[in-house]
Amino acid sequence: MLDPWLGFAITVAACIVVAIVITAAVSLAVRLVARKKSWPSRLVGYARRPFRALLLLVSLWIAFSLAFPDRDWLDTIDQIFTMVAIAAGAWLAVALVRFGTDLAIGRYRIDVPDNRVARRIRTQTLILRRLAIAVIVVIAIGAALLTFPAVRTVGASLLASAGIASIVAGLAAQSVLANMFAGVQLVFSDALRVDDVVVVEGEWGRVGEITLSYVVLDLWDDRRLVLPCTYFTTQPFQNWTRQGSELLGAIELDLDWRVSPSRMREHLAEVLAETALWDSRASVLQVTEATGGLVRVRILVSAADAGTLFDLRCYVREAMVSWVQRTMPAALPVQRVMMTAESTEPQLEEPRGDNDGLFTGSAEAEERRSSFTQAIPVVAGGRDDGDRSVDAEDAGDQRSTA
């Protein structure tokens, strides 16, 4: 009679050989299909390892179920194989989801000028992939836990109180669920897409990633700004590529009144004709203000996207400044100061014809002033202090008499 363990070893070897044969057959079939199309090779790259692991696991499970000598351990072995098979199946399902979404994304290129539809498809596909992977992981964990009898009993009691549990879970995960629903709303409302150019919180950047909880912006100086999804559903923001990437930009110059706008307009046409940054949609030069001693000239140009527009504005500004310096130096902005000559000698008032009522300007006016102010006459010639005191007493007597 054949030894049970030897029979088990033979069964295991046979099952492994069958698994290898099936793997080789599938690989051959994929190679034959890959001669005409490119997607089978990509499928092999994603699903080779999880498929082989699942197939090998199933073959071993069959071998253990058929020929394992110690039947008392069979229930435990079946539970272990069930949990591992669930994990391998989830791994294969995730690989297939990644393959499908990458295949869908690959059909729409975003490195072309008109890529609005491609960016929308890419953003929605990435969100769907994250949702699908999250659902697969949750289902796999739940299925693995339900292999335990105690967990199944607890699950039944939880289902009985599902109303209370849902309320508690909703309150505990309110912010998480709000961000998740906000992320889905952003993607499927087409309000925000990957690679969109936006201005948020005064920062200019591109949308690098949209997840179920946050949005990552790649700023122009290589910084990363991370914002919750609820920000974009509750706060205003600028989306420069909502319908298209074409933009208008302004260049303003403050110049002297002696500038010639017509000559500047002619030179602007020459400057724009020499650069590939301009998309030929808009070229305007206007004098928008002429106050404060200067003339403000505004130049309006257009470009295919935000980055090109910034380079075009810098190019036009530099070209116009250099041209004004070279051809019209009188038009450079200056500050004018009016200088007037003033005499340093005091200006005497002309005598008025009518001195009635005045206290200066004539002998009668001086006499009138002395009678009102009782001025004390001072006699030059070196009189001593006694004489001056006598004069002061006389003046006092005169005031008393008056």
Side-chain angles (χ1 to χ4, degrees):
M1 183 177 180
L2 186 64
D3 183 68
W5 289 101
L6 180 60
F8 171 68
I10 294 174
T11 304
V12 169
C15 290
I16 292 176
V17 171
V18 172
I20 293 174
V21 171
I22 294 176
T23 303
V26 172
S27 178
L28 179 61
V30 170
R31 289 180 181 178
L32 292 177
V33 177
R35 293 180 178 179
K36 298 180 179 180
K37 298 181 180 180
S38 61
W39 64 265
S41 59
R42 298 178 62 182
L43 176 61
V44 170
Y46 280 100
R48 178 192 292 115
R49 292 181 179 179
F51 175 74
R52 290 180 178 178
L54 181 60
L55 188 61
L56 179 62
L57 182 65
V58 171
S59 64
L60 290 176
W61 192 0
I62 294 174
F64 270 82
S65 299
L66 294 177
F68 190 69
D70 193 353
R71 310 303 294 180
D72 295 335
W73 288 87
L74 192 58
D75 292 339
T76 304
I77 293 175
D78 285 342
Q79 184 176 359
I80 293 174
F81 271 108
T82 302
M83 296 177 61
V84 178
I86 290 173
W91 185 13
L92 179 60
V94 170
L96 293 177
V97 168
R98 293 183 58 195
F99 163 73
T101 53
D102 286 347
L103 187 65
I105 293 173
R107 295 181 178 180
Y108 298 91
R109 299 177 54 186
I110 63 173
D111 56 347
V112 295
D114 188 10
N115 58 0
R116 184 172 61 88
V117 176
R119 288 187 287 110
R120 177 173 59 83
I121 297 297
R122 181 184 181 88
T123 304
Q124 295 177 355
T125 304
L126 290 176
I127 288 294
L128 289 176
R129 179 167 74 179
R130 291 188 177 96
L131 282 174
I133 292 175
V135 170
I136 290 172
V137 171
V138 170
I139 292 176
I141 294 175
L145 291 176
L146 289 176
T147 59
F148 297 93
V151 175
R152 287 197 295 268
T153 304
V154 174
S157 62
L158 287 176
L159 289 176
S161 59
I164 299 176
S166 61
I167 294 175
V168 173
L171 293 176
Q174 183 177 4
S175 61
V176 176
L177 294 176
N179 278 309
M180 182 179 298
F181 287 119
V184 175
Q185 178 183 350
L186 281 176
V187 171
F188 288 96
S189 65
D190 206 21
L192 198 66
R193 299 175 294 262
V194 174
D195 206 42
D196 269 348
V197 178
V198 296
V199 177
V200 180
E201 296 290 332
E203 300 284 357
W204 182 94
R206 292 181 179 273
V207 178
E209 184 180 4
I210 301 178
T211 69
L212 292 176
S213 57
Y214 60 86
V215 177
V216 180
L217 301 183
D218 300 334
L219 302 185
W220 66 274
D221 54 358
D222 290 338
R223 291 180 295 150
R224 299 295 182 268
L225 181 62
V226 182
L227 294 170
C229 292
T230 53
Y231 177 90
F232 294 92
T233 57
T234 58
Q235 301 292 331
F237 64 94
Q238 299 182 33
N239 189 338
W240 290 6
T241 54
R242 177 66 174 80
Q243 297 294 337
S245 60
E246 298 83 3
L247 293 172
L248 299 177
I251 304 104
E252 293 186 339
L253 303 173
D254 289 335
L255 302 172
D256 192 78
W257 281 66
R258 288 172 287 186
V259 69
S260 174
S262 59
R263 292 180 59 189
M264 290 188 67
R265 195 172 289 111
E266 295 174 357
H267 183 67
L268 174 64
E270 298 175 1
V271 170
L272 294 177
E274 296 174 355
T275 178
L277 301 174
W278 183 49
D279 63 356
S280 304
R281 289 191 304 115
S283 171
V284 179
L285 188 146
Q286 296 172 319
V287 178
T288 57
E289 287 189 23
T291 59
L294 296 174
V295 172
R296 177 162 297 178
V297 177
R298 189 185 72 165
I299 300 172
L300 191 65
V301 293
S302 61
D305 51 58
T308 306
L309 178 63
F310 181 81
D311 294 338
L312 177 62
R313 291 172 61 197
C314 294
Y315 175 78
V316 172
R317 186 182 296 110
E318 180 179 351
M320 298 304 294
V321 168
S322 300
W323 180 78
V324 170
Q325 292 175 345
R326 185 176 61 255
T327 62
M328 288 191 298
L332 296 176
V334 295
Q335 295 292 333
R336 292 183 174 84
V337 179
M338 184 66 70
M339 305 295 295
T340 58
E342 296 184 359
S343 175
T344 58
E345 297 181 358
Q347 300 294 327
L348 299 178
E349 294 185 0
E350 294 293 334
R352 300 175 59 177
D354 185 8
N355 293 323
D356 293 342
L358 299 180
F359 297 100
T360 60
S362 64
E364 294 80 2
E366 293 292 339
E367 183 179 357
R368 201 161 36 250
R369 179 177 63 84
S370 63
S371 64
F372 273 94
T373 60
Q374 297 295 326
I376 302 173
V378 178
V379 180
R383 297 176 60 183
D384 56 9
D385 294 340
D387 294 334
R388 284 195 293 272
S389 63
V390 173
D391 293 340
E393 291 176 0
D394 294 339
D397 293 340
Q398 294 176 2
R399 285 194 296 272
S400 298
T401 304

